[in-house]
Amino acid sequence: MSLLQAAREVRERAYVPYSRFKVGAAIRGASGTIYRGCNVENVAYPEGTCAEAGAIAAMVAAGETRLTEVAVIADSPSPVPPCGGCRQKLAEFADADVPVLLATTDGAQIHTTVGDLLPGRFDAGHMART
């Protein structure tokens, strides 16, 4: 199964009773395993979970901490990029050159990288003391 197909399938499971805006994400761990996530809303809007965060949580729960590929899909006029928080979450587990596919359910696609989504990212190197 392709990463985009995995994201497309999990998108259908999104819990979005308020916005009705379903998002699916799939990431490939360094082992080759695909992890999926969908957005989960909450009546208290800030308490929801993004699809990308759900996929990352599934990967970490399975014991992996490196991802090698990302796909995100939504029913939108143009491909939807991850929010700022999810960009930082992706950067935590991916090198800057990791490919990211952003897609719509109608077939539009944008190919980018984690580094292009979050230039000047904050990473563990900023935590080092000299």
Side-chain angles (χ1 to χ4, degrees):
M1 171 180 298
S2 77
L3 204 59
L4 183 57
Q5 185 60 32
R8 183 182 299 277
E9 288 178 6
V10 75
R11 179 187 164 274
E12 292 304 317
R13 296 186 198 120
Y15 177 76
V16 292
Y18 310 106
S19 73
R20 309 269 191 261
F21 189 72
K22 296 179 178 182
V23 180
I27 58 176
R28 189 177 312 278
S31 70
T33 302
I34 294 174
Y35 301 97
R36 304 161 199 205
C38 58
N39 54 325
V40 178
E41 293 180 347
N42 187 292
V43 70
Y45 274 118
E47 298 305 318
T49 303
C50 297
E52 300 89 340
I56 289 167
M59 179 185 74
V60 172
E64 289 202 64
T65 57
R66 297 306 299 163
L67 63 92
T68 61
E69 191 178 1
V70 179
V72 180
I73 190 168
D75 183 12
S76 176
S78 60
V80 177
C83 72
C86 284
R87 291 175 193 214
Q88 185 66 49
K89 288 175 181 75
L90 290 168
E92 180 72 18
F93 300 101
D95 294 330
D97 63 349
V98 164
V100 178
L101 172 60
L102 307 174
T104 68
T105 55
D106 290 335
Q109 296 185 356
I110 294 175
H111 295 266
T112 188
T113 65
V114 169
D116 287 341
L117 286 174
L118 190 61
R121 69 196 213 174
F122 181 80
D123 63 24
H126 292 99
M127 301 296 289
R129 293 188 179 250
T130 56

